[in-house]
Amino acid sequence: MTIKRLVAAILLATGSHSVFAEESFTVQDIQVEGLQRVALGAALNNLPFTIGDTVSDFTLSRSIRTLYSAGHFDDIRVFRDGNTIIYRLRERPTINNIEFKGNKDIKDEQLTESLTGNRIIVGEPLDKTILRNIENGLTEFYHGVGKYQAKVEVKVNYLPRNRVNLVFEFEEGDAASVRQINIVGNNIFSNEELLSVVESKQDMPWWRFWTSDRYQKQTLQGDIEKINSYYLDRGYLRFGVESSQVAVSPDKTSVYVTLNVTEGEQYNISDINFVGDLIGQDEIIRAIVPLQKGQLYNGALVTFTEESIARVLARFGYANSRVRTIPNINDDTKEVALTISVDPGKRVYVRRIDVKGNANTRDEVIRRELRQMEGAWLSNDALELSKERIQRLMYIEKVDFATTPVPGVDDLVDIGFTIKEQPSGSFNAGISYGSFQGLSFQVGVEQNNFFGSGNAAGISLSTNKYQKSVSLSFTDPYFTLDGVSLGGQLFYSDLDYTRASSNLEAYNQRRYGVGANIGYPINEYNRLNFGGNITVNKINSINEYDQLRHFRAVLIDARNPDGGYNFTNYELSAGWLHSTLNRGLFPTAGRMVSLTLRATTPNSDIQYYKTLFEAQQYIPLSRDHQWSFRSKLELGYGNGYGSKNGYDYTLPFTENFYGGGQNLRGFENRIIGPHAIFRSATIVPGVPDPIGGGNFFPSDPVNDNYNVSSRSIGGNAMAMLTLELITPTPFLKDENRNSVRTSLFIDAGNVWDTEFDINRYANLIQLRQDNREPLLVDYSDPSLIRASAGVSVQWISPMGPLTFSLAKIIKKYEGDLQENFSFNIGTTF
């Protein structure tokens, strides 16, 4: 090596950015040393020259910067040996593992997401220069939430093969509390009035454990906006927060906040004008404006006006409109003239709608619920309605949509709907235990999204001590493209209520039949349903209690009085459903109202009708809908129409309403309602027969006795009310919030018999064999209300909805049996 080359090499080796000889030369070879994980080709691709190129000192310097920018190397040195360029590189260590210790306020997932944004990722090279910025950023975050004693340190542990482990160690400490909030310059409103509207609280006593006085920078900024809005909403147009100071105590455990404000005076609105393009909807836009001349200026109403106009424009495809209110303030008259500037922009059209996340549900099932069409103009109303309709599907847990502008075009967008599915099949089972009923069990399988088609199909099997039943059903909600539904069902049941555990008066019923139904949509929220059933009933082994006298009179076969009751009914039904619920399962907002009427045709063996009304209302109590109030009202009534052989038809006892169990938690299933009354004649002796025996005859009916059964027979009228406070479920992650629901409830209601006449038993004597038989009450009295309260937990599990209820009876009557705990699998809400 010549002296000249040796000197050049020494100069090149003096630092990462080496000094080169001044003359240019042609590169004959390029050598790279120190590579371990980075491929040679990847390193050479970052060089601004190749073999055969003529390079200068500037070119070599630029090559060092280019290699550094690739992000793979910690140190770069370049040497020249004749016309050969030698790069000696030290690769950045690879991140082997990232560990967090001591963090409570920031979740691991949030830290990982933040580090990923800064390219601190397992398996990627480590840029040490970023670590200091991350430490400072995390420390600043803790200061922002009031933890001024917090410390964050990143430790780098070196491993063989140029790998490192990163350990983020947190010392969060305690948050500083707001010791005092001072507002300076306020004369119109007192400190107490202004502090009542802010979220930050000062120096709270220990017993106010549900209220926090922890200082947070972000909360303080929001409080300043609330105070500003408080004044603007009351006409103080010139109000302003001039400055804010936050002083931290020496021990960093307390902060003192001072706000300096200027109140100004109140302003009235002198005039309201519009400028810009109202897209021909002048009357609608002017009609929705709540502002009026002469009224006090109100900042909230101004904002509401701008948002309302923007929503009207968005309804007609102007999604990027700009609505601004320009105030022209007259300080002399203390008036303000408002000019509302409307710039609709271009009408935006939808190029394409994409659906993702529907792994089990066919794409067409989701798309048929869309009200926003491809090729049509973009409408926020149509998008929100589409989201609501998809979310009402029983097999959809959550729906989100995003609007993405088409690159290079300012009037086209793509819309992406992201679906989160939930189990669409339901393993329908129920287990409950009561002091009188004992253990019961039922099982069934129902699929609301049959093979992803959106059709509902199910088979239900039920068995316990007194019941065996099976039913098959199928419904196509979109039998036609315009939403006409069609369904059918087959059913068979064999009920043996001769067992005491049924809570019902003894009889045996075999019932089977077939039915069909069809539904017609009226609009997005209302639907009409019609159906028909043919039902065959065979009843025997019945205890002939007194309330059955009319039913027996119209059905009994005089030639075979002990043959039971056999009758066939032809039923027609009509129903109306109104629903604005925001979800199919676990709704948190909206209402549902339904009215159903069933009646047998005049050629049926029994002529009767039965109607059921149900209304539910959900009122969200918080913005995130974690708190919500639910009310539910059920009303039912049924009776016979027409007569036979001089006897009026009545509602068959098999169609009676019952209370207890799912509709009145805390009471045993079907225990609420009228009880059976057994009437018996008094026996008196007659004339002795010739053999010396005695004859006995029934006395006059006015001397009859009766006893009341402990079993319920139901009634033809029902009223049930549920009030429910839906609360966040403790210890539950946010991603499971839509599949688990906890609520506090109050149930109240009654089942009664409008045809019952207590005067029929006024002069008779009640016999009681034991204390289990209740005293007779007026079963026609709807005011005999029962009530219970408790807590319920519902979970949409892979098997279907599970319901756990723990209830305590508040009001009951003699003969009512309690069931404090119940557990059901299936759709019970």
Side-chain angles (χ1 to χ4, degrees), residues 19-36:
V19 180
F20 306 98
E22 295 182 357
E23 76 276 7
S24 299
F25 63 96
T26 301
V27 179
Q28 293 181 348
D29 191 18
I30 301 174
Q31 298 179 9
V32 181
E33 301 175 357
L35 295 179
Q36 295 180 355

Side-chain angles (χ1 to χ4, degrees), residues 643-658:
S643 62
K644 179 181 179 182
N645 300 328
Y647 291 94
D648 292 334
Y649 283 106
T650 60
L651 184 70
F653 68 95
T654 56
E655 294 288 340
N656 279 350
F657 298 102
Y658 296 90

